[in-house]
Amino acid sequence: MSLLPETIDSEEMLDDVISEPSEELTGLCAGWKGMTAILGIGGKMGLHMGMMLAKAGERSGSSSDITGISRFSDPAAREKIETRGVRTISADLMDPDAVAGLPDADRIVYMVGRKFGTDGSEWLTWAVNTLIPEAVCRRYAGTPIVAYSTGAVYDRVPVNSGGAKESSPLTPLGEYANSAVGRERIFDYMSEKTGTPVCLVRLFYSIDLRYGVLRDIGDKVAADEPIDLNMGYVNVIWQGDAINQSLLAFPHCSVPPRPLNITGPEIVSIQYVAEKFGEMLGRKPRFTGEPANDALLGDSGAAVELFGPPEVSLDRMIIWIAEWIRAGGRSLNKPAHYEVRNGKY
Ligand SMILES: NC(=O)c1ccc[n+]([C@@H]2O[C@H](COP(=O)([O-])OP(=O)(O)OC[C@H]3O[C@@H](n4cnc5c(N)ncnc54)[C@H](OP(=O)(O)O)[C@@H]3O)[C@@H](O)[C@H]2O)c1
């Protein structure tokens, strides 16, 4: 992404801005042959993952092609993905026969996950987050996999600690977060057993204008709803930077898997964000609670060393989202629930 626009005026423009590959990524893709499979492409990040790969492939003149695999619970998502140069296959990856029947691939982006709805259906979350990695590593033994994990694998850390490092203990609270640790541990086991190189992307809060922590706060400020300050700090990253860095992680896939925190470099104060939205939307934000001295935070130093800092700044994201909200821009209505402190999603 070289020239960032002042405002983003349409969903088409938004999808284009998010999916803009860096020169480094285009350079990496130039050496790629064969097929990249994106598993779980039907979610909030999948379209942009497919689009970024398609653009980088086209610009680099590489002969690699892209296949997106999901159940496509939202058929509109499939249609949109197909118009962007990504072939699709509908498959339920909980079905071992469906996994066995998937086409060969040369690299895998693993985006499958289940979080919301865990409370009361813990068994399903555990099954999705741990059984599918086993089946996928068996089917694609030896094929590099960049697998999305989550920053939620860590416990909360003191706000002044700079965030959890990749070497920090994986002892989080709650069944969703523990199933995400389970997902990583199955990748660890299957990587070792099948010689499959893996990079585990511990992502902290991806930001789109239609969903994400910043949109949630902006919506509350606009609606004059109180903002809970108890989880007082978060890390966020522009969805385009998150996807770009995740793809640049392919050369860092290894046996045993390499974990990598991917997020923004700053520890973001919820109060600061709300006040910024307040200035831009002409509202005075209302708050409840006090910031605790610990929060779910990650140190992205290792990723910054590998890939450099994210291109889109926090203030740029806030400006884009405030304008988007002011213009009545669409929301996915999928709150991030960043304020949850008891581990129940
Ligand atoms: N977005 C974030 O801020 C964030 C933060 C931390 C971690 N992550 C992780 O990064 C990954 C991608 O994020 P996302 O926001 O795009 O997640 P998402 O919206 O939850 O998408 C994951 C997709 O996986 C697919 N899936 C689930 N079960 C499946 C099954 N049995 N067979 C085939 N596909 C299945 C679903 O699409 P279908 O209904 O089409 O099957 C689902 O939409 C996820 O693992 C997520 O947990 C995301």
Side-chain angles (χ1 to χ4, degrees), residues 101-113:
L102 294 179
D104 288 346
D106 296 271
R107 64 202 70 73
I108 306 286
V109 180
Y110 184 93
M111 307 186 84
V112 182

Side-chain angles (χ1 to χ4, degrees), residues 43-45 70-73 92-93 111-112 149 203 206 211:
K44 300 183 294 300
M45 300 177 71
S70 237
R71 294 164 305 179
F72 296 109
S73 323
D92 182 349
L93 299 173
M111 307 186 84
V112 182
S149 174
L203 175 62
S206 183
Y211 87 97

Side-chain angles (χ1 to χ4, degrees), residues 38-47 49 69-75 77-78 81 89-95 99 110-116 124 128-129 132 147-152 176 180 183 201-208 211-213 237 239 242 262 332 334 336:
I38 306 170
L39 307 185
I41 198 173
K44 300 183 294 300
M45 300 177 71
L47 167 72
M49 174 63 73
I69 298 151
S70 237
R71 294 164 305 179
F72 296 109
S73 323
D74 173 11
R78 183 176 197 174
I81 288 164
I89 296 174
S90 175
D92 182 349
L93 299 173
M94 288 295 284
D95 173 359
V99 177
Y110 184 93
M111 307 186 84
V112 182
R114 178 179 150 87
K115 177 178 184 183
F116 299 119
L124 184 55
V128 169
N129 290 345
I132 300 180
Y148 277 94
S149 174
T150 165
Y176 158 67
R183 171 169 57 192
V201 171
R202 293 179 182 158
L203 175 62
F204 292 73
Y205 297 122
S206 183
I207 299 298
D208 182 318
Y211 87 97
V213 175
I237 183 168
Q239 183 145 298
I262 288 192
L332 298 185
K334 290 186 177 172

Side-chain angles (χ1 to χ4, degrees), residues 22-38:
S22 65
E23 281 177 19
E24 291 76 11
L25 180 61
T26 303
L28 176 68
C29 288
W32 285 2
K33 291 192 174 31
M35 198 261 272
T36 306
I38 306 170

